[in-house]
Amino acid sequence: MNKILVSGGAGFLGSHLCERLLHENNEVLCIDNLFTGEKKNIVHLFDNPYFEFLRHDVTFPLYVEVDKIYNLACPASPIHYQYDSAQTTKTSVLGAINMLGLAKRTGARILQASTSEVYGDPEIHPQPESYFGNVNPIGVRSCYDEGKRCAETLFFDYYRQYGIDIKVVRIFNTYGPNMNPDDGRVVSNFIVQALKGKDITIYGDGQQTRSFCYVDELVDGLIRMMRSDNGFTGPVNLGNPFEFTILELAEMIIKITGSASTIINKPLPSDDPRQRQPDISLAKDKLEWEPIVKLEDGLKDTIEYFKELIKK
Ligand code: NAD
Ligand code: UDP
Ligand code: UDP
């Protein structure tokens, strides 16, 4: 049995990943400080003897024996990563150092959950991995964007200096069940607002774009990357290349929910990227990975999840 550590395993993506890894007969050690993650997301795994949860902050060292490491620990929504921005950078940078130190000592393969935010407000569209990005180093989003960029730097330095077996994925906007209803991300915000009959809050004119990937397919991409041939380090983009304006997303959610909510406009936060769409040629080629779930279908499942959650 593989012993696999998932940092940030009680969060949205991490909880799906833990479940999938257990399902594939691995032993899973989930570590999380429960800043944005919740026990609710993993409580159904507690009865499994091959699942272990450890409340731990990745900015502190951790000595355990594992074969593989998925490093997902980091708040991912703007309101949460800006709540304690210095801590966000520490989580990305010190967390990467500690997880890489652990990989160095144990010889474990280690995957970093990086982000499309490393491209900032991109001037090249869609974004290939070769694009270096357009990131403001001193803005309100920088704690996240630059923290993740520095983590990538550390991963490649540990690879070059110590021969650590690294894998780096750049995740684009992902949605699905287990998203935190209060974390302020656009999909969860719009669904909760639509289900509660509240105003749908579009920031700016709604013409900014994002490309949304359903969580199951993203998790599949993470696992394929972890299993990929030695020598393929990435970085590799993982995301669904179909691009929508935020206004189109709002209209689709209103239509599916049959909500009477009305759309209102609020100020656009600073440094909000105008457009984002992954070029996934590399993932197709190296991982034979390509998402097929349509946004409308993925939203239906996600809406069902939130309906149940709101009832409770
Ligand atoms: P999330 O906020 O639901 O999960 C992050 C988890 O990390 C939470 O459980 C949180 O409690 C934990 N955490 C935060 N700081 C920690 C610390 N110092 N020590 C230990 N645990 C800590 O977010 P998510 O969407 O599941 O994102 C998971 C990872 O994927 C993040 O690294 C994020 O940057 C990356 N990512 C996600 C998306 C997306 O659309 N969901 C896009 C790009 C990148
Ligand atoms: N580290 C850890 N677990 C381990 C090995 C190392 O948390 O099993 C931490 C350690 O505390 C150190 C960091 O990882 O701060 C980087 O380790 P590395 O060996 O690269 O650096 P060094 O210990 O030489 O500073
Ligand atoms: N957004 C919005 N209304 C909301 C939440 C977000 O219009 O209630 C916009 C936000 O300004 C951004 C897009 O939706 O342009 C995606 O935001 P999210 O925070 O989900 O992800 P990110 O900006 O990190 O891609």
Side-chain angles (χ1 to χ4, degrees):
M1 256 187 165
N2 264 313
K3 290 198 196 96
I4 305 183
L5 185 155
V6 179
S7 82
F12 163 50
L13 295 181
S15 57
H16 286 273
L17 178 62
C18 288
E19 187 170 319
R20 174 82 185 268
L21 293 171
L22 284 168
H23 188 68
E24 294 181 357
N25 293 323
N26 299 290
E27 202 174 322
V28 173
L29 171 60
C30 164
I31 66 169
D32 202 298
N33 69 351
L34 300 181
F35 174 48
T36 51
E38 292 180 84
K39 277 195 182 164
K40 171 178 77 56
N41 293 337
I42 47 168
V43 73
H44 61 293
L45 307 175
F46 284 6
D47 286 341
N48 187 325
Y50 297 107
F51 180 74
E52 209 176 340
F53 170 65
L54 180 67
R55 191 187 287 239
H56 174 78
D57 185 323
V58 290
T59 61
F60 296 98
L62 177 69
Y63 287 79
V64 288
E65 307 308 314
V66 290
D67 308 306
K68 293 195 171 75
I69 302 166
Y70 286 87
N71 187 35
L72 271 62
C74 186
S77 84
I79 54 167
H80 281 132
Y81 70 63
Q82 289 167 25
Y83 171 76
D84 185 352
S85 46
Q87 180 63 22
T88 299
T89 307
K90 286 183 196 166
T91 291
S92 274
V93 175
L94 296 175
I97 291 173
N98 287 325
M99 289 298 113
L100 285 163
L102 178 61
K104 186 175 147 204
R105 184 181 58 76
T106 56
R109 177 173 281 190
I110 180 167
L111 179 147
Q112 168 66 1
S114 190
T115 169
S116 53
E117 301 286 344
V118 300
Y119 302 121
D121 191 4
E123 291 150 323
I124 290 185
H125 196 69
Q127 294 77 55
E129 290 83 354
S130 55
Y131 178 48
F132 291 165
N134 176 36
V135 177
N136 176 359
I138 56 166
V140 292
R141 293 174 80 103
S142 312
C143 57
Y144 184 73
D145 302 6
E146 296 290 16
K148 289 284 188 178
R149 285 169 68 96
C150 183
E152 285 200 14
T153 306
L154 284 160
F155 267 67
F156 278 86
D157 282 333
Y158 269 69
Y159 167 70
R160 282 184 289 258
Q161 261 178 267
Y162 306 119
I164 304 302
D165 189 3
I166 64 156
K167 303 277 174 188
V168 176
V169 298
R170 291 180 179 157
I171 303 169
F172 285 64
N173 299 65
T174 302
Y175 68 99
N178 290 6
M179 288 185 95
N180 184 333
D182 305 317
D183 84 359
R185 279 185 267 195
V186 68
V187 172
S188 43
N189 265 12
F190 286 2
I191 292 178
V192 172
Q193 289 163 346
L195 291 176
K196 291 188 171 171
K198 292 187 175 165
D199 291 341
I200 308 258
T201 54
I202 287 191
Y203 303 157
D205 60 7
Q207 291 309 309
Q208 70 271 37
T209 68
R210 294 294 186 272
S211 309
F212 299 97
C213 186
Y214 190 63
V215 62
D216 290 352
E217 298 191 300
L218 194 282
V219 166
D220 185 55
L222 296 179
I223 290 175
R224 279 174 190 251
M225 180 57 172
M226 184 59 109
R227 287 192 189 137
S228 62
D229 288 343
N230 280 335
F232 180 53
T233 56
V236 62
N237 290 337
L238 292 181
N240 188 318
F242 277 91
E243 188 181 0
F244 294 86
T245 66
I246 294 305
L247 179 60
E248 285 169 333
L249 175 73
E251 286 167 344
M252 197 181 283
I253 290 174
I254 289 175
K255 188 173 138 230
I256 302 171
T257 52
S259 171
S261 293
T262 49
I263 290 174
I264 60 162
N265 294 88
K266 290 204 157 186
L268 189 68
S270 64
D271 292 334
D272 198 281
R274 279 170 293 112
Q275 53 182 2
R276 197 181 287 145
Q277 183 194 7
D279 176 337
I280 59 163
S281 319
L282 190 64
K284 279 190 201 165
D285 178 33
K286 296 281 186 186
L287 309 177
E288 295 179 359
W289 180 85
E290 184 176 9
I292 51 165
V293 175
K294 290 203 179 88
L295 181 58
E296 193 165 351
D297 296 332
L299 283 176
K300 284 180 187 157
D301 282 1
T302 313
I303 288 165
E304 285 310 308
Y305 168 79
F306 279 109
K307 267 188 194 161
E308 288 303 309
L309 195 74
I310 286 169
K311 262 194 232 159
K312 284 179 190 165

